[in-house]
């Protein structure tokens, strides 16, 4: 596939609409094309916004309305079973009334709990979507910055890593292509190399071969970016030798 055609596949790649062969060709091209990397990030961000726009959450106040309606339901005791004497009928009436009240209370508690659980989940999802959107916007801003500079290196097994730095924004983005999955229970962790001292810069998604990661924190004069393999959840300090250390572009 010629390069001119590859430039037109950014949207299809972001929406996972390419064949395996097209995807492999495009990822090789993406490793060396900052313009396509920027477009892929922007298309991915737009797709996430469209998905968020059609999402729905339980209406606020559902639990309160359910509990308020429960109080309007009359607790009417049924008549005694056939052949039961009046004394026993009264006892049956009281038992059924108590059972009915207990059932209503149990139902209201269950419905209220479901409503609260759904509302909490919706709020958590909304907050996570907001964080993802802000990070995607920052990634796009770094890649599109007028002073953005990049450096690409070859990693193991044909993978590539590209670090893009904006001095004006004091932020950096790490892009990978064809990255092998880490061993089970492990994750790739990124580090700023502060002239020999490694500073945590965040984790990569272990399930994605190609991704753009906004490095955690400011560049703050770092000399490079390192990649190590760490236990799931990351480490406070590197626990292995770096797979690679990319000098930051001058």
């Amino acid at each position: 596939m010629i390069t001119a055609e590859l430039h037109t596949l950014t949207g299809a790649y972001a929406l996972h609409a390419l064949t395996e062969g097209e995807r492999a060709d495009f990822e090789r091209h993406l490793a060396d094309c900052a313009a396509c990397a920027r477009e892929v990030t922007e298309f991915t961000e737009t797709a996430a916004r469209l998905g968020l726009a059609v999402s729905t959450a339980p209406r606020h106040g559902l639990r309160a309305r359910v509990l308020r309606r429960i109080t309007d339901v009359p607790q009417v005791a049924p008549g005694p079973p056939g052949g039961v004497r009046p004394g026993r009928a009264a006892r049956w009436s009281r038992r059924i009334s108590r059972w009915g009240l207990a059932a209503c209370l149990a139902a209201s508690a269950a419905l209220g709990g479901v409503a609260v659980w759904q509302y909490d989940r919706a709020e958590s999802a909304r907050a996570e979507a907001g964080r993802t959107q802000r990070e995607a916007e920052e990634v796009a801003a770094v890649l599109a910055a007028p002073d953005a500079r990049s450096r690409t290196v070859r990693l193991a097994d044909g993978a590539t890593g590209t670090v893009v730095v904006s001095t004006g924004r004091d932020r950096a983005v790490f892009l990978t292509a064809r990255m092998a999955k880490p061993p089970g229970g492990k994750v790739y962790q990124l580090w700023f190399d502060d002239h020999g001292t490694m500073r945590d810069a965040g984790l990569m998604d272990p399930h994605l071969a190609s991704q753009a990661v906004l490095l955690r924190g400011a560049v703050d004069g770092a000399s490079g970016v390192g990649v190590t393999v760490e236990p799931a959840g990351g480490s406070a300090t590197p626990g292995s030798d770096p797979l690679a250390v990319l000098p930051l572009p001058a």
Side-chain angles (χ1 to χ4, degrees), residues 113-173:
V114 168
V116 170
W117 174 74
Q118 290 178 333
Y119 180 76
D120 288 344
R121 286 199 62 184
E123 287 299 299
S124 298
R126 197 185 307 277
E128 180 61 28
R131 285 191 295 270
T132 300
Q133 179 176 330
R134 288 191 296 273
E135 182 170 322
E137 290 173 348
E138 185 65 22
V139 166
V142 172
L143 297 179
D147 64 345
R149 306 179 314 281
S150 66
R151 175 165 291 173
T152 300
V153 300
R154 298 288 176 180
L155 305 175
D157 301 322
T160 59
T162 300
V163 60
V164 181
V165 179
S166 167
T167 302
R169 303 186 71 87
D170 201 19
R171 300 302 300 270
V173 171

Side-chain angles (χ1 to χ4, degrees), residues 52-133:
L52 184 61
V54 298
S55 64
T56 59
R59 289 174 294 174
H60 182 66
L62 176 60
R63 180 176 183 274
R65 287 195 295 273
V66 169
L67 293 177
R68 187 167 57 251
R69 291 292 301 274
I70 288 294
T71 62
D72 297 332
V73 178
Q75 300 297 319
V76 179
V84 179
R85 294 191 298 273
R88 294 184 61 187
R91 288 194 296 272
W92 270 99
S93 176
R94 287 193 296 271
R95 288 179 184 175
I96 292 174
S97 178
R98 287 195 297 270
W99 293 340
L101 178 59
C104 286
L105 290 175
S108 67
L111 289 172
V114 168
V116 170
W117 174 74
Q118 290 178 333
Y119 180 76
D120 288 344
R121 286 199 62 184
E123 287 299 299
S124 298
R126 197 185 307 277
E128 180 61 28
R131 285 191 295 270
T132 300
Q133 179 176 330

